[in-house]
């Protein structure tokens, strides 16, 4: 093998440098602080677990996403976590099984996947989120959506869109009011994913009954009106779900754009009745997502949960979270007490260590002239 | 292989639960915020790197400490970082090679070692620290020691002791004023480590000349007095070093205990002229450490640096960093605007999702009675 150049990192692994690293930490902190104010308490699961137990709880990630480690100590295969929600579920189901419900937990940390994708060139990402365990009610979903929006707004994200979905909608209808065989169901799903009305109609009469779902996509209230009319015409098949969605949307501020894509399922495969994606102006792709799901208890039964998670780094890359600090150069012989007082007022100080230190080159915005900060260039 | 119980984690990897996880995050934040006020800027290196490049820069960790990952993507062996200072050095030497010096960088993240030890049962630990790159002067050391103390005090650590050492002292003396062969030097070091005066004297006249160093250990000023007298009697062999140490100690507050152990080298093997360990009352072992060292530039030359790092979790286990939050239960139908205002005043709120939610079981300290928080049990 050839020598690896000293600065080269493996594909998909990279350094975050100033000021992006600081901005990334700031976004993470803001999300954690926001959810903490709503009673979510921090957990810190380990970076790696036994592959077997981790894989059994994976939700948005798949076993083939795992980067594996042969552990000489346990003589087992470990896997680095590709996602933290599975770990939070494990904690809720085992060590915190007896904690009162609903249990509100938050988390932040690096997650690693085996492979990058074109959409996600990074194999390691920071993930931050909150999970409400013991409830998947409308009230739980409302809290999670509200907290998600509050956290993103606190992080400076503007032009937020929440896109609602009903992940198990097709399963529910196919098993009830609008029967489909498993084969038909897969075909219907494929055409709904492609939003291909012609192909859906061509699948036959039972499949064609699902056609109105394609049109019930787009701006929330118009799409809901259509779905509600359709539900009423089908014996109220979706009334409970739609009533729930209306209740979740109700407390959301008017400046948040709401959309509905009732049959969207990409990435929501593991979710139960409710899911949502978050988008923002000037940001390509999804910022974060959440919804309701089930956690496996230690006895094999299921416990309802609702949560959200997001990835701060793409937000930072899109320019969110950046703050220009007031950075103050302290010349040799400066007044240390005055400098400490200014740090207390929010200044970052950079103390000269020798005559040759150059405050301007060290990206200071000001220098301490006697007791007063003076801007460079004035 | 037998099935792994669902809650079991690999040896040395564990979950941090509330409230310890929150306390750990709080200590880390406090350290990062303190160093940020002194101009240190955050970097975030990746969790894993090519084993070859990471191992070449390891300082306090050894290649045998590395937990390895076979990476199917790069077809190379990666290693999880056992320490972040090596990564910060790499960043300074490569991507930030052209940034103005002195370069102040901070970092925080998980580090993983292959094996736990009796002293360190955890294989994964949070590490946080700051590195001042481009200087190992007395001024640089003074800044690092001062900032370390300020960060720990801000994190609530009481009864701090700083233990100074001169890591390359024996090398310097053996190569200069008090010559020793390599064999003699190793023997002298062993006996100095053991503080065994008898065995040191028995090594012969040249080794016995090092005897006074054993006595120059303990409370800082008394030990310095002895060392200074000894240096004066040996042609000023150590005068520069001792003058430097006095200057570093001078601005340190009277309530910090200072000690000197001039020949201590455990864990300081990679450090140059200056090192220090931090201890605290009620805390077994070392909280953190720092000192001067050299970073390898891309062209193979060396650049001076000074830094410190510490591990928040043992501090949390010793009871530091814990804060009792005011936790407010919000009954169904509470005034949402009032709840938001109280969150703005620092309350954590826990909103009822159903009639059966029990604020007291959810560890709330208060509940919202109309507009007013009332303590439980009153």
């Amino acid at each position: 093998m050839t020598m690896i150049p000293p600065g080269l990192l493996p594909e998909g692994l990279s350094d975050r440098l100033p000021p992006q690293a600081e901005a990334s930490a700031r976004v993470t902190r803001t999300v954690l602080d926001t959810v903490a104010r709503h009673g979510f308490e921090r957990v810190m699961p380990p970076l790696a677990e036994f592959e077997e137990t981790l894989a059994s709880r994976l939700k948005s990630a798949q076993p083939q996403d795992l980067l594996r480690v042969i552990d000489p100590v346990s003589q087992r295969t470990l896997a680095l976590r590709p996602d933290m929600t599975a770990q939070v579920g494990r904690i809720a189901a085992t060590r915190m099984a007896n904690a009162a419900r609903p249990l509100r937990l938050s988390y932040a940390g690096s997650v690693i996947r085996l492979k990058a994708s074109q959409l996600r060139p990074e194999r390691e990402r920071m993930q931050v989120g909150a999970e409400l365990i013991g409830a998947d009610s409308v009230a739980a979903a409302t809290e999670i959506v509200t907290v998600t929006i509050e956290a993103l707004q606190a992080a400076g994200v503007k032009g937020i869109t929440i896109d609602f979905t009903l992940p198990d909608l097709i399963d529910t209808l196919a098993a009830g009011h609008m029967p489909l065989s498993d084969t038909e169901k897969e075909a219907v799903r494929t055409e709904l994913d492609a939003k291909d009305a012609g192909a859906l109609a061509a699948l036959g009469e039972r499949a064609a009954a699902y056609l109105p779902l394609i049109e019930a996509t787009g701006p929330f209230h118009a799409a809901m009106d259509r779905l509600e009319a359709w539900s009423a015409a089908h014996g109220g098949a979706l009334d409970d779900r739609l009533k729930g969605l209306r209740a979740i949307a109700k407390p959301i501020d008017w400046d948040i754009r709401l959309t509905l894509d009732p049959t969207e399922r990409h990435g929501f495969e593991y979710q139960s009745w409710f899911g949502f994606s978050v988008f923002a102006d000037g940001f390509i792709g999804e910022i974060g997502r959440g919804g309701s799901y089930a956690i496996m208890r230690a006895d094999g039964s299921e416990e309802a949960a609702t949560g959200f998670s997001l990835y701060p780094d793409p937000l930072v890359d899109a320019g969110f979270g950046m703050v220009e600090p007031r950075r103050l150069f302290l010349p040799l012989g400066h007044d240390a007490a005055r400098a400490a007082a200014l740090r207390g007022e929010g200044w970052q100080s950079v103390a000269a260590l020798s005559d040759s230190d150059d405050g301007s080159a060290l990206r200071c915005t000001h220098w301490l002239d006697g007791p007063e900060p003076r801007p460079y260039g004035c």
Side-chain angles (χ1 to χ4, degrees), chain A:
Chain A
M1 288 213 188
T2 51
M3 269 269 292
I4 298 166
L8 189 70
L9 291 173
E11 185 186 326
L13 300 176
S14 61
D15 297 313
R16 292 235 145 215
L17 302 185
Q20 282 79 13
E22 187 59 40
S24 170
R26 190 177 299 118
V27 170
T28 302
R29 252 187 211 207
T30 302
V31 174
L32 288 169
D33 286 348
T34 305
V35 303
R37 281 195 295 275
H38 288 270
F40 289 80
E41 296 181 290
R42 185 82 180 265
V43 291
M44 294 180 170
L47 278 174
E49 299 196 12
F50 292 118
E51 180 194 7
E52 180 183 329
T53 50
L54 186 63
S56 73
R57 287 191 176 273
L58 287 180
K59 296 196 180 291
S60 64
Q62 304 293 321
Q64 61 267 31
D65 293 331
L66 295 175
L67 188 60
R68 292 172 180 76
V69 182
I70 305 299
D71 179 22
V73 173
S74 63
Q75 308 245 331
R76 294 271 190 173
T77 304
L78 309 187
L80 295 171
R81 60 186 181 209
D83 173 83
M84 291 180 77
T85 54
Q87 296 187 301
V88 175
R90 175 184 52 71
I91 289 173
T94 57
R95 288 188 62 193
M96 299 191 77
N98 296 319
R101 266 39 177 182
L103 176 64
R104 290 171 172 86
L105 299 177
S106 69
Y107 56 91
S110 284
V111 296
I112 290 203
R113 282 165 195 258
L114 177 62
K115 286 187 185 171
S117 65
Q118 270 201 309
L119 204 65
R120 297 173 168 179
E122 291 299 319
R123 296 162 71 191
E124 177 183 357
R125 297 193 294 171
M126 178 63 62
Q127 183 183 27
V128 55
E131 308 297 325
L132 207 170
I133 292 139
D136 65 356
S137 59
V138 169
T142 304
E143 176 168 322
I144 288 293
V145 172
T146 307
V147 169
T148 303
I149 293 170
E150 189 177 322
L152 286 168
Q153 287 180 325
V157 178
K158 310 240 184 262
I160 295 173
T161 294
I162 305 284
D163 187 36
F164 292 107
T165 181
L166 293 166
D168 68 356
L169 179 65
I170 308 302
D171 281 329
T172 306
L173 291 173
H177 285 70
M178 297 169 58
L180 292 177
S181 70
D182 285 352
T183 318
E184 285 173 320
K185 196 164 71 177
E186 240 354 273
V188 165
R189 275 200 172 133
T190 304
E191 302 314 337
L192 284 172
D193 284 350
K195 310 246 184 293
D196 188 335
L200 186 59
L203 291 174
E205 196 180 332
R206 301 213 302 182
Y210 285 79
L211 266 171
L213 293 179
I214 292 186
E215 279 167 26
T217 295
F220 182 76
H221 296 285
M224 285 291 287
D225 290 346
R226 278 193 218 105
L227 268 188
E228 282 161 350
W230 184 77
S231 181
H234 287 77
L238 294 178
D239 282 6
D240 276 1
R241 295 287 166 89
L242 299 176
K243 204 174 138 200
L245 274 188
R246 286 277 191 199
I248 294 166
K250 196 172 170 213
I252 298 176
D253 273 355
W254 60 270
D255 61 340
I256 305 295
R257 197 176 307 119
L258 302 181
T259 57
L260 180 66
D261 193 349
T263 65
E264 172 65 32
R265 58 174 180 145
H266 179 70
F268 289 104
E269 293 82 356
Y270 70 93
Q271 270 161 336
S272 54
W273 76 276
F274 170 71
F276 67 100
S277 296
V278 188
F279 301 89
D281 292 347
F283 187 83
I284 297 165
E286 185 183 270
I287 290 175
R289 60 169 53 203
S292 60
Y293 59 100
I295 285 171
M296 191 178 59
R297 290 199 187 91
D299 67 6
S301 65
E302 292 198 326
E303 178 167 26
T306 313
F308 81 93
S309 70
L310 59 88
Y311 301 92
D313 287 329
L315 280 175
V316 169
D317 294 337
F320 295 110
M322 301 286 270
V323 169
E324 277 299 317
R326 293 184 305 168
R327 204 165 148 88
L328 179 67
F329 184 67
L330 305 175
L332 289 179
H334 67 269
D335 177 343
R338 178 69 183 138
L342 289 166
R343 281 192 295 271
E345 292 171 17
W347 288 86
Q348 289 182 4
S349 69
V350 176
L353 299 179
S354 76
D355 273 333
S356 60
D357 289 3
D358 176 349
S360 177
L362 292 166
R363 287 171 305 96
C364 291
T365 54
H366 296 69
W367 59 284
L368 189 60
D369 180 11
E372 289 311 316
R374 293 207 188 284
Y376 276 101
C378 295

